[in-house]
Amino acid sequence: MNNITSHSQFFYNVLEDYKRTTSSFSSRIKQDLNKEISTSSDYRGREIYELLQNAEDEMAEFIKIHLDCGTQTLSVSNGGSKCKPFSEKGFCSIMMAEMSPKLEHKQSYIGNKGLGFRSILNWAEEIKIYSSGVCCTFSPEIAEKNWIVNIRTKFSDDLIKEHEEFAKIHNRTCPVATLAIPTVEDAQVESDITTRIVIRYKKECEESIKDQINSLSGKVLLFLSNIKKIDIQVDLEHTTIKKEVDSENSMTVYDSTHPNGIAYTIFSDNDICEIDESKKYEIKIAYTQEDDKEGEYIYTFFPTKVRIGLPCVIHATFDLNSSRNALNETELNTWMQGKIAECLISFAKELALNDNRISWDYVQLLTLNEYDKKDFATLHEKILDKIKMGDLPIYPTHCGYMALNETIRYSEEFADYSVSQECFKNHLIKGFTKFIESQEADDNFIDKINTLAKDISNSSNIIDSLSKLIVALGTIKYTSTKTVNILLDSNFCIIQQGAHINVGENIEHLPENMPFTYVNEELIKQLISILHIDESNAKRGLTKKLKEIKGLEVSDMDISAAKSKIIDYSKTT
C-alpha cells in the first residue's frame, strides 16, 4: 500500500489551489457550495448505496457496516486482496467532484465518485476518511475555520457579505463547501481494512440510516463484480449478507430472510453501445425459482425507484437522472429497452431448455402488465414481435416446452383431461388462458375425438373414461361441422350419428325400422353426477349440456314427444 502522509505536498497544493482560485474567481465558492447542496439533495435516500458503490469502485471484496447509536457514529469499512486505498486523485474527487479519477475511463459504468459521496452530508456532522495512512476530516466547523482564516481575508466587505448571505439562504454556517477542505493527520487502520469512513451523524437522521441498512438484502450483491460480503452491526445486533458465485451464470445469496441461501441464474450481456461507441452497456438478469415473483425494481448496479412487474431482477446501465432513482427519457434508454427484450427472450429460451419442471414461468418472464406496456413501450413491442412469430420454445405442454405454433389449446378443462391422452400431449397445460386465447376445434380434432371414444369403448373403464371426455368436450368451441360420436348405447357400443339419440325415458313399441337409440343409463347417471345437475328433470338438464357440444344431436324425448315423432316419421315412409 502506497501511503500518503499528512505532510504530503498534495494536501498543501489542494488548499493553496482553493485559496488561489477563490481569490481570483470568487464565484467558485458559490459553485462548489451549490454543487454540494444540489448533489446531496439529489441523492437523498441513497446514502448507503453510495457508500457501497464507492467501495465497489475500489474493488473491495468485503464491507463492514457498524452503526453505534450511543455515539451517533456510522462506520463503513472495506478491504480485500485487490482493494485499492484512496489515492491522491481519489481524495481530490471528494474535494472537487469534477476531478474524479473515473472520468479518465470513458467507458466506465458506475457514476463518478465524489458526486454520490456528497449525499452523506445529509446525515453528517463530521466525516472522517481513513485510507492510505491518513485520516481526512471534513465538517462545517473546519470549513468555517478555513473561511475565516484563509479565504475571507482576501475579499472585500461586499463580497464577504454576498457570500455569507448566500450561505445563510442555504442554511449553511459558512460559504465554503464542507468537503472542499479537510484537516489531515497520520492514521492507520487494522491490517485487513483498506479504507474506513466514519460519519458522526445528526440524531434526527438515525431512523433513516437504520431504514436504509435494514433494506439491504442479498439482491444488492447480484450485480456487483467485487463485493462478496457485507457484515452489518447495529449496536449489538449482527447480520451478514453474502454471495457465493457457483458458476459463471449462477450464484447463491444469503441474508436474514434467506439464511440458507437463495439461488439465482444470471444472464449477462455487455458490449459497446451501438448508438454511442464512447459508452459500454451491461445487462444482467437474475432469476430464481425460490422467491416471490411479483415484480422488482430496475437496478443500475443498485436499485432505482423504477419498478417493473416481471418475475426477475433486471440490471441495465441506464441513463439515470441526477438522483439515480429514475430513468431519463433518452435515445440511449430506448435502445437499452430493445437490448433487454433480446436478453429476456434468450434467457427464457435458455431456462426452458434446462428445466425439467413444466410451468408458465418463462412465458410470465416475457409478459408485461398494462402499466409496464406503457412505461416500457419499446421493451413490450420487441417482445411482442417475437412472440407473434410463434417459434419460441417456452410454452409448457404435457410433453415439455414447445413453440406456440406446435401446440394445441382448446380449453382449461380440456388441458386437465388431455394430460393422460397421448394424442393430445401437445396441449398447453392448465393456465394458458391468462396468456393466450383458446383455439376452436377443427375437423382434425373431431376425427381424433371419435377415434379416442372408440378406443375407450374397448377399455375396461368405459363409463368413467368416456364421462370425463364428454365433460371436457363441453368446454370447447368448434369450427368443425363434423359429427361427434361419443355416446354409449345400452350394449356399451358407441352410437353413430344419424340415429335418433335419446337421453329421456325408455319408450317401448316403437317401429322397428325407426332409427332410435337410447343412451346407456350408467353413462347418464355418471354424467349427471359429474356435471352436478340438480334439476327436477335431470335428464332434461343433461340433454341441454350435451347439446352444447357441436356436432352432437340428442333429445330427452318422453312418450308424448315420441308419438309426435312417430307420426312425422310415418309420413316420410
Side-chain angles (χ1 to χ4, degrees):
M1 182 184 297
N2 296 320
N3 283 357
I4 307 171
T5 72
S6 59
H7 305 292
S8 294
Q9 188 69 26
F10 160 72
F11 291 109
Y12 174 80
N13 289 343
V14 170
L15 177 58
E16 290 302 308
D17 177 71
Y18 190 84
K19 289 192 294 185
R20 183 178 65 256
T21 55
T22 53
S23 62
S24 302
F25 306 100
S26 67
S27 60
R28 178 183 166 181
I29 297 177
K30 288 184 179 180
Q31 290 171 357
D32 283 5
L33 187 60
N34 257 330
K35 186 76 170 178
E36 188 169 271
I37 292 168
S38 63
T39 305
S40 58
S41 176
D42 285 341
Y43 284 69
R44 190 180 302 276
R46 294 185 60 86
E47 290 87 353
I48 200 70
Y49 292 139
E50 298 308 322
L51 290 168
L52 297 182
Q53 177 176 303
N54 286 337
E56 170 71 10
D57 292 337
E58 298 304 337
M59 302 179 69
E61 295 171 15
F62 68 83
I63 292 177
K64 295 180 180 180
I65 299 173
H66 183 198
L67 177 65
D68 187 332
C69 298
T71 60
Q72 288 180 221
T73 57
L74 172 66
S75 170
V76 180
S77 308
N78 63 60
S81 59
K82 298 180 181 179
C83 188
K84 298 181 293 183
F86 269 71
S87 63
E88 292 181 351
K89 288 183 178 180
F91 280 115
C92 198
S93 75
I94 300 299
M95 293 177 268
M96 293 179 286
E98 292 79 5
M99 297 299 292
S100 171
K102 283 186 282 183
L103 291 176
E104 298 172 9
H105 305 287
K106 292 184 179 180
Q107 293 177 338
S108 62
Y109 300 121
I110 292 183
N112 298 325
K113 186 198 289 182
L115 293 180
F117 187 88
R118 281 164 165 68
S119 66
I120 62 176
L121 290 169
N122 293 321
W123 293 343
E125 291 183 341
E126 179 185 81
I127 302 168
K128 291 180 178 288
I129 302 175
Y130 295 87
S131 193
S132 295
V134 297
C135 172
C136 283
T137 304
F138 302 88
S139 72
E141 291 75 19
I142 294 169
E144 185 172 15
K145 181 179 178 180
N146 274 286
W147 165 248
I148 294 170
V149 175
N150 294 313
I151 300 170
R152 65 174 284 172
T153 55
K154 304 185 185 314
F155 292 160
S156 67
D157 290 344
D158 288 343
L159 270 178
I160 291 171
K161 183 179 179 181
E162 177 186 334
H163 285 296
E164 289 183 344
E165 285 182 350
F166 181 80
K168 189 176 181 180
I169 290 170
H170 292 88
N171 298 314
R172 292 296 185 101
T173 57
C174 82
V176 175
T178 302
L179 296 180
I181 306 172
T183 61
V184 185
E185 57 187 333
D186 294 330
Q188 297 294 332
V189 291
E190 300 93 313
S191 59
D192 64 326
I193 300 299
T194 302
T195 296
R196 171 171 291 143
I197 298 171
V198 179
I199 304 162
R200 179 162 55 82
Y201 60 82
K202 306 164 190 171
K203 187 64 178 178
E204 63 267 25
C205 296
E206 190 167 275
E207 289 306 311
S208 173
I209 296 170
K210 284 183 178 180
D211 288 344
Q212 288 192 40
I213 291 174
N214 290 335
S215 73
L216 296 176
S217 71
K219 292 175 186 175
V220 79
L221 300 179
L222 284 172
F223 309 116
L224 302 181
S225 300
N226 302 307
I227 301 172
K228 295 179 175 60
K229 184 178 181 182
I230 303 175
D231 285 315
I232 300 171
Q233 180 179 348
V234 177
D235 292 333
L236 299 178
E237 186 176 332
H238 292 76
T239 57
T240 297
I241 297 170
K242 66 177 182 177
K243 70 179 178 185
E244 294 176 356
V245 179
D246 306 313
S247 68
E248 185 179 357
N249 62 352
S250 65
M251 71 173 64
T252 304
V253 297
Y254 302 80
D255 54 29
S256 57
T257 306
H258 303 97
N260 297 320
I262 181 167
Y264 283 88
T265 303
I266 312 291
F267 183 93
S268 302
D269 180 38
N270 61 83
D271 207 336
I272 305 298
C273 290
E274 296 169 12
I275 62 170
D276 185 349
E277 293 186 359
S278 69
K279 296 179 179 178
K280 292 171 68 176
Y281 75 88
E282 179 178 87
I283 296 170
K284 289 188 178 182
I285 304 170
Y287 178 82
T288 180
Q289 297 176 351
E290 304 173 36
D291 204 4
D292 294 335
K293 300 173 184 177
E294 297 180 353
E296 292 284 354
Y297 290 105
I298 293 285
Y299 279 57
T300 296
F301 295 97
F302 295 96
T304 66
K305 289 186 178 179
V306 179
R307 197 170 181 87
I308 189 167
L310 294 177
C312 59
V313 190
I314 298 174
H315 150 70
T317 47
F318 279 111
D319 177 19
L320 301 180
N321 70 353
S322 58
S323 71
R324 300 186 65 79
N325 279 323
L327 278 56
N328 290 321
E329 294 184 7
T330 61
E331 183 184 3
L332 174 64
N333 283 347
T334 300
W335 179 82
M336 284 293 290
Q337 286 190 43
K339 295 302 292 185
I340 292 170
E342 293 175 14
C343 292
L344 282 167
I345 291 165
S346 297
F347 197 22
K349 288 167 60 178
E350 181 183 302
L351 289 168
L353 180 64
N354 294 291
D355 194 352
N356 293 323
R357 301 174 315 117
I358 298 297
S359 75
W360 286 101
D361 286 357
Y362 310 126
V363 175
Q364 186 69 60
L365 194 61
L366 301 181
T367 304
L368 279 71
N369 62 39
E370 293 305 313
Y371 295 106
D372 292 339
K373 288 176 184 177
K374 295 176 183 177
D375 294 341
F376 299 93
T378 301
L379 174 63
H380 171 59
E381 290 167 9
K382 292 282 187 180
I383 291 175
L384 191 61
D385 287 346
K386 183 60 178 175
I387 286 175
K388 285 179 179 177
M389 295 174 68
D391 60 353
L392 278 178
I394 61 171
Y395 292 88
T397 71
H398 304 311
C399 59
Y401 291 99
M402 301 179 72
L404 188 61
N405 56 21
E406 298 173 335
T407 69
I408 54 176
R409 47 198 181 278
Y410 296 116
S411 74
E412 295 285 5
E413 292 77 6
F414 197 80
D416 267 348
Y417 173 78
S418 59
V419 171
S420 58
Q421 303 303 324
E422 189 64 35
C423 57
F424 297 115
K425 284 292 187 183
N426 63 329
H427 197 289
L428 294 178
I429 67 171
K430 197 166 184 178
F432 72 87
T433 50
K434 181 180 177 182
F435 307 97
I436 313 151
E437 291 185 355
S438 302
Q439 286 177 318
E440 294 186 341
D442 56 12
D443 289 351
N444 181 55
F445 175 79
I446 300 301
D447 290 341
K448 286 185 177 181
I449 291 298
N450 288 338
T451 300
L452 179 59
K454 186 176 181 181
D455 292 342
I456 289 173
S457 70
N458 295 318
S459 67
S460 58
N461 193 19
I462 306 173
I463 299 299
D464 185 59
S465 297
L466 203 55
S467 297
K468 290 177 180 177
L469 172 59
I470 292 167
V471 170
L473 289 177
T475 64
I476 295 175
K477 296 178 181 179
Y478 299 84
T479 57
S480 175
T481 57
K482 282 192 171 185
T483 57
V484 184
N485 303 321
I486 54 173
L487 297 175
L488 283 179
D489 63 16
S490 57
N491 296 317
F492 293 89
C493 295
I494 294 294
I495 302 171
Q496 300 299 311
Q497 287 292 326
H500 295 288
I501 303 175
N502 191 12
V503 179
E505 61 182 289
N506 195 332
I507 304 169
E508 299 180 350
H509 309 301
L510 289 173
E512 291 183 2
N513 59 346
M514 185 176 180
F516 201 68
T517 308
Y518 296 102
V519 177
N520 185 288
E521 283 294 329
E522 288 186 45
L523 180 61
I524 290 173
K525 289 178 182 178
Q526 181 80 342
L527 287 171
I528 289 172
S529 174
I530 293 175
L531 293 170
H532 305 293
I533 297 171
D534 57 2
E535 299 179 23
S536 57
N537 189 335
K539 287 187 176 181
R540 179 159 293 174
L542 175 59
T543 302
K544 291 177 184 176
K545 285 286 186 183
L546 292 175
K547 284 182 176 180
E548 292 175 2
I549 302 175
K550 189 175 179 182
L552 184 61
E553 296 294 333
V554 294
S555 69
D556 57 338
M557 194 177 300
D558 55 17
I559 292 176
S560 176
K563 287 180 180 179
S564 176
K565 193 76 175 176
I566 292 168
I567 292 171
D568 291 340
Y569 182 75
S570 298
K571 291 178 181 179
T572 63
T573 58

